[in-house]
Each structure stands twice: as structure tokens, then as C-alpha cells.
Amino acid sequence: MDKPALTLTDRFGRRIEYLRLSVTDRCDLRCTYCLPKGFKDFEEPEHWLTFDEIERLLGAFARVGVNRIRLTGGEPLLRRNLPELAARLHRLPGIRDISLSTNATQLSKYAGALKNAGVARINVSLDSLKRERFARIAGRDCLDRVIAGLMAAKEAGFTPIKINMVALSGVNDDEIDDMVEFCMAHGFVLRLIETMPMGVTGRNAAYFDLQPVKRRLQEKFDLVEGVVPGGGPARYLQTPDGKFSVGFITPISQHFCATCNRVRLVVDGTLFMCLGQNEKFEFRPLLRAGARDADLETAIRTAIELKPERHEFHETPQKIVRFMSATGG
Ligand code: SAM
């Protein structure tokens, strides 16, 4: 008989079953709200968890109750042999969903291999469909590559493919309707995201309140409330036939901490309990000091005890000095 699945529950009764794994803190883009131009303070390669260490640690997470993993970064496709890591994690007992967040600059090269490795779902960041504007926001003139990557993912059969658009006041807020139409035409799910005050770049970003947009899009496109698999914190609106969905990730105007089910493991083996707080637990020293599997499982339970109730982006927006790319958004 199969062993009953264990559950990992925090002090507030939230079940933690989702782990976001940042496989690198490096990125080939410099989005204005994320990583500052000229930033060089990246993690040393000898501090990166190896694939063997990641597989071992995530195996322990799976044994105590995590069942979903998202590969993120930085830009995860910059980590060499990512499909091999995905395949290894996909084979871990208890893991039933592997997904990827990417900027898609390298996606046309890897879409097929990722699909074969067991990655089921892909989120692609795309803040503008206008070439020059994209280049201004992302710090690189490569919209064509991103679109080619997206189309390769569609061709490879990923479903759903979600587009993450960070809404920036006075920068791309006039393009939201175009993005809705683009996603409707291609069968993509759209997710609109409010900027979070992570690091100086996040704090200086042109915050745009999405609540009025939600009401406006609902009327214009006849949308109804809906649910999307793996939808996480996004609140969704859909066309009545369910063919198109738009989600709103609104950590500032309407936070969703009460249902938070996730933690974030970064490339050097640090586990962050919340995007908007500093509580953390270091796993690399344990892994490299020969911890036994049972020690890792105990350490995971100890770490989860540290998970705070909620972020305080409103009250103390200056608190988080980490950039989103370091924690893995
Ligand atoms: N490189 C991958 C990508 O582009 O999706 C994964 C990492 S990226 C940090 C993950 C997501 O975080 C992206 O959708 C990005 O737009 C978003 N992001 C980065 N900084 C942010 C901020 N300050 N506020 C809100 N979202 C942010």
C-alpha cells in the first residue's frame, strides 16, 4: 500500500505544498523594476547547489508534503542542462507538477527538451508587444526572440501557457487591452501583476493599481469570475466559454497571504519563507556537512515554523533589499 501523503503545515494552519526553485540569480535581461543595470553582485558558482544537492533536498521536501515545483530565477534557462534537472525532479516520488517561469529569450532552443523532461506548464514574462518599448523595459532589444520562444512553447504543446505582464503606470498601462487581444488570439492565459517594492528597483517602479483595470476589462470583454488550474494567488476573470482567462496578481491592492502555500529556495540553498519578509533557513551547510535524509526533513519542518503571517509591503516597503531576481519571483 502507498504511504499516506504527509502534510507540511505552518504556524497559521497553511499547508505548504509548493516550492519555487531559483536555479540561478543571473539574468540576460535588466527589467527596470527588477535587476539594476550594471548589477554584478551575483552568487559565486561554488555556492550554487549542484543538481545532486537539489535533487536530494527536494526529495526531502517531497517526502514531507511538497508536491509542486516551479523552476525560476534569475533566468532559469541560463543554468546549463536545465532540462536534465527538470527530468530528475519530475521523477521524485510525490512530485506531481513541474512548471517553469522564463523570459523566453532561450525558449525556442529548449521548449522541446523541457516538454520531454516533464515540465507541464510555462509562464513567460512579457511586458510589451512594441519592440522599442520592450527594449526600454527589459534593457535588451529582443522582443522577436521572446515571441519566437513563446511560439516554440505553443508548438511543443505546453498548456496552459501564461503571459506575465507587470503593469507599470505611464509605461505600458496603455497596452493592457492589446495584450488581452494577443492572448485571446493565441490561447494564452494573461496575468497582470502589480509591482512589489523588492529592492531599490522594485520600490522605484511606477506602481499601477490593477483594481480599476479588473472592473474595466470585465465590462469591455464580458468576463466572469473563474478558476484556473495552478492559478496560485491570481484572481481570474474568464470569457463565459472559458477559452480566455486573465488573472490579477495584486499583492499591494489586495493581498493574498492567508492562502499562501509556498516557499522559495534560492540557488545558494537558502530557503525564503516569504517574498516580502526576511525569514530564511540555510540548507547548504547541512547538505555539505553530510546531513542524513531524516535531518533534512527535520530541518524543513523547523524552517517552515519561521514562515511569517504576511508580507508588509504597505507598512515597511523599504524592508526588502533583495531584488526579485535573487529570490525568484
Ligand atoms: N526570468 C524569469 C521570468 O522572466 O519570468 C523568472 C524570474 S522573474 C524575477 C519572475 C517574475 O517576477 C517576472 O514575471 C517578473 O516580471 C516579475 N518581477 C520582477 N520584479 C518584480 C517586482 N518588483 N514586482 C513585481 N514583479 C516583479
Side-chain angles (χ1 to χ4, degrees):
M1 220 170 69
D2 280 352
K3 276 208 285 186
L6 291 174
T7 56
L8 191 58
T9 308
D10 75 358
R11 290 176 295 148
F12 305 97
R14 293 172 298 196
R15 196 169 154 179
I16 309 303
E17 51 190 7
Y18 180 26
L19 185 136
R20 297 177 68 109
L21 170 68
S22 172
V23 292
T24 178
D25 57 348
R26 293 166 196 244
C27 191
D28 52 347
L29 300 184
R30 287 293 177 275
C31 298
T32 50
Y33 50 80
C34 189
L35 201 54
K37 275 206 173 67
F39 180 83
K40 296 234 163 50
D41 197 10
F42 294 108
E43 196 54 65
E44 299 294 333
E46 62 266 31
H47 292 165
W48 299 353
L49 293 193
T50 62
F51 284 5
D52 286 346
E53 288 169 333
I54 293 173
E55 187 180 4
R56 186 153 176 250
L57 183 54
L58 269 52
F61 271 96
R63 285 193 300 279
V64 297
V66 164
N67 53 41
R68 289 167 57 201
I69 296 169
R70 175 170 293 273
L71 303 169
T72 180
E75 173 43 44
L77 291 177
L78 296 187
R79 180 86 187 241
R80 200 171 299 155
N81 300 330
L82 189 74
E84 180 202 324
L85 177 66
R88 288 169 69 167
L89 300 180
H90 183 60
R91 285 195 292 269
L92 286 174
I95 297 301
R96 55 176 176 79
D97 181 57
I98 307 254
S99 57
L100 172 79
S101 287
T102 175
N103 62 27
T105 58
Q106 317 271 321
L107 194 53
S108 30
K109 198 152 104 201
Y110 293 113
L114 289 164
K115 185 84 175 106
N116 290 338
V119 175
R121 301 180 295 112
I122 290 204
N123 289 3
V124 171
S125 297
L126 179 61
D127 298 333
S128 176
L129 295 165
K130 298 179 199 281
R131 181 179 157 192
E132 280 172 21
R133 185 182 279 182
F134 178 97
R136 259 198 316 278
I137 299 172
R140 196 170 150 205
D141 183 4
C142 60
L143 177 62
D144 288 356
R145 287 175 66 123
V146 170
I147 300 291
L150 252 177
M151 296 310 154
K154 192 173 162 180
E155 185 75 27
F158 288 99
T159 66
I161 295 172
K162 295 181 185 163
I163 304 288
N164 282 340
M165 177 185 191
V166 174
L168 299 159
S169 176
V171 178
N172 65 354
D173 54 323
D174 60 341
E175 233 184 308
I176 290 176
D177 295 31
D178 289 351
M179 199 63 92
V180 168
E181 275 159 21
F182 172 77
C183 290
M184 277 179 166
H186 289 283
F188 302 143
V189 172
L190 176 61
R191 302 187 336 150
L192 298 170
I193 305 178
E194 288 177 353
T195 50
M196 293 170 235
M198 302 218 31
V200 68
T201 42
R203 270 191 290 289
N204 290 339
Y207 171 73
F208 186 66
D209 180 353
L210 287 173
Q211 298 301 333
V213 177
K214 193 172 171 190
R215 290 189 287 273
R216 190 178 60 70
L217 292 183
Q218 185 157 21
E219 243 172 61
K220 176 168 173 184
F221 295 96
D222 286 329
L223 304 175
V224 295
E225 305 272 336
V227 180
V228 164
R235 292 166 166 90
Y236 281 93
L237 293 176
Q238 294 181 328
T239 46
D241 63 6
K243 287 199 175 139
F244 168 74
S245 305
V246 54
F248 299 82
I249 302 188
T250 55
I252 307 297
S253 66
Q254 193 181 18
H255 77 75
F256 33 74
C257 304
T259 55
C260 185
N261 62 353
R262 63 198 57 196
V263 284
R264 293 174 162 85
L265 183 67
V266 310
V267 66
D268 71 347
T270 305
L271 186 76
F272 284 99
M273 309 305 154
C274 170
L275 258 188
Q277 297 283 10
N278 290 316
E279 281 82 358
K280 61 181 179 180
F281 190 98
E282 315 258 356
F283 281 96
R284 193 180 74 241
L286 274 180
L287 284 163
R288 295 196 178 168
R292 294 166 311 147
D293 285 353
D295 301 330
L296 292 178
E297 291 164 26
T298 305
I300 292 168
R301 294 193 180 280
T302 306
I304 296 300
E305 287 290 298
L306 300 173
K307 190 167 166 67
E309 187 170 13
R310 53 181 294 252
H311 68 65
E312 289 164 354
F313 284 142
H314 259 304
E315 299 89 326
T316 48
Q318 69 292 349
K319 191 168 185 172
I320 302 301
V321 295
R322 310 186 299 273
F323 302 111
M324 186 74 95
S325 64
T327 321

